[in-house]
Amino acid sequence: MTTDESSGATARLEVADGVGTIRLDRPKMNALDIATQDLLRELAGEATRREDVRAVVLYGGEKVFAAGADIKEMREMDHSAMVLRSRGLQEAFTAVARIPKPVAAAVTGYALGGGCELALCADVRFAGEGAKLGQPEILLGLIPGAGGTQRLSRLVGPAKAKDLIFTGRTVPAAEAARIGLVDHVVPDAEVYEQAHGWAARLARGPALALRAAKESVDFGLEADIETGLALERNWFAGLFATEDRQIGMRSFVEDGPGKARFR
C-alpha cells in the first residue's frame, strides 16, 4: 500500500490496487472540524485526478466513522462567521459526492450529523452491525448544514428524512437498512473488507463507462426526465468511441459475458 499522508493530518488518502481510501484520523470521534472539512475537499480532488485511483472507500477506522462536526469549534462561531463558512462546508462534502468514480462508505460505530452526511455522499454504504446513524442537529437548535436535508430526503424519501431530522434520533444499522439509509449490514470486523472488495471489483471495470453511469444517475436526478434522457443518450453514444467498449463487446462475443479485462 502506498500512503499519501502529511504529518499530523486528520485525514489522508491511501492507495492500493486501484482503490483509494479516504481515511479519517482525528481521535477519538473523528469530529469534522474546519481543517478536516477542507482536507476532505482536497483529498476528493486528488482522488478524482489520480489515474491510479479507480474507486474510493470512505473510512473512519474500526471504532467510529465520524461523530459529526466539532461542536466546540462551532460554538465559538456567530452568524456572520457561519454565513462565510457554510458554503465551504457544503463544498467540501459536494467534492466527495462528485468524485466521478465509484465510492463506498465503510461505516463503523457512529455516523452522526456531519458523519452521516459524509456517508450520504457515497454511492453505496456498508455498515457494521453495531453502527448507529442519524442527524441530531435539531437537538442543538440547528438543521443539517452539509447536505443532509437534501441528500437524505433523496435517498430515503421526504417522510423518513423528516422523521430523522425532526426528532434527531439515532437509528441502528438494521433500521437504517430497512429505510434505505445503508445498503449492506455486515459484521463490524468486516466493514472495511466488504467495502474495499466492492470498490476493488469496480476498479477493474471500464472507468469511463462507470463515470458515465454515475453522472447520468446523479445529474439526471437533479433534472427533469427529458434532460436526464438527453444526458444518458449523449454518454451512451460517446462510449462507442472508447477502447473499453471494443474490448467489452469483443469479449462478450468471443468468451461470453463478464470476462472482459478492461484497460
Side-chain angles (χ1 to χ4, degrees):
M1 175 179 291
T2 60
T3 303
D4 295 333
E5 180 177 358
S6 300
S7 176
T10 56
R12 59 185 181 268
L13 176 65
E14 303 171 343
V15 183
D17 302 323
V19 177
T21 298
I22 296 179
R23 169 72 156 89
L24 297 171
D25 189 12
R26 189 168 186 251
K28 297 179 179 180
M29 301 299 286
N30 287 333
L32 300 170
D33 63 348
I34 290 174
T36 304
Q37 296 164 20
D38 290 343
L39 186 52
L40 280 172
R41 183 176 64 245
E42 294 175 15
L43 294 176
E46 183 179 352
T48 294
R49 294 188 299 271
R50 286 181 58 163
E51 293 185 1
D52 60 335
V53 176
R54 303 284 295 274
V56 174
V57 176
L58 308 175
Y59 184 49
E62 296 179 355
K63 295 183 178 180
V64 63
F65 184 70
D70 189 324
I71 304 303
K72 292 181 180 179
E73 182 182 64
M74 289 177 60
R75 184 183 180 187
E76 302 303 318
M77 302 176 71
D78 60 13
H79 172 257
S80 297
M82 188 51 74
V83 167
L84 295 173
R85 178 59 205 168
S86 58
R87 182 176 296 275
L89 168 64
Q90 289 189 347
E91 287 176 348
F93 283 67
T94 296
V96 176
R98 293 300 191 216
I99 294 173
K101 302 167 184 181
V103 178
V107 179
T108 55
Y110 289 105
L112 303 177
C116 186
E117 288 170 301
L118 181 59
L120 291 172
C121 294
D123 301 305
V124 64
R125 281 151 291 279
F126 291 80
E129 292 171 335
K132 299 181 184 297
L133 301 91
Q135 299 286 171
E137 290 88 351
I138 202 74
L139 305 180
L140 302 174
L142 297 170
I143 65 171
T149 64
Q150 302 305 302
R151 294 191 178 98
L152 182 60
S153 58
R154 284 165 168 77
L155 183 65
V156 305
K160 293 183 177 67
K162 288 174 183 177
D163 171 53
L164 295 180
I165 294 169
F166 288 178
T167 65
R169 68 188 183 91
T170 298
V171 298
E175 181 179 354
R178 285 197 301 271
I179 66 175
L181 177 52
V182 302
D183 304 285
H184 305 279
V185 178
V186 302
D188 291 328
E190 298 179 14
V191 174
Y192 180 73
E193 178 185 357
Q194 295 274 358
H196 190 277
W198 179 88
R201 182 171 66 253
L202 292 180
R204 297 188 292 271
L208 192 58
L210 287 166
R211 175 174 184 159
K214 180 168 181 172
E215 292 193 1
S216 294
V217 172
D218 288 351
F219 288 104
L221 285 172
E222 297 172 7
D224 61 86
I225 184 67
E226 292 302 325
T227 301
L229 288 170
L231 178 63
E232 176 186 274
R233 181 171 66 248
N234 290 334
W235 265 119
F236 176 72
L239 290 170
F240 273 74
T242 66
E243 183 180 9
D244 276 345
R245 191 275 304 182
Q246 297 175 3
I247 291 171
M249 287 191 168
R250 181 171 61 248
S251 176
F252 182 92
V253 171
E254 296 178 358
D255 304 315
K259 299 178 180 179
R261 302 183 67 176
F262 296 103
R263 297 184 181 177

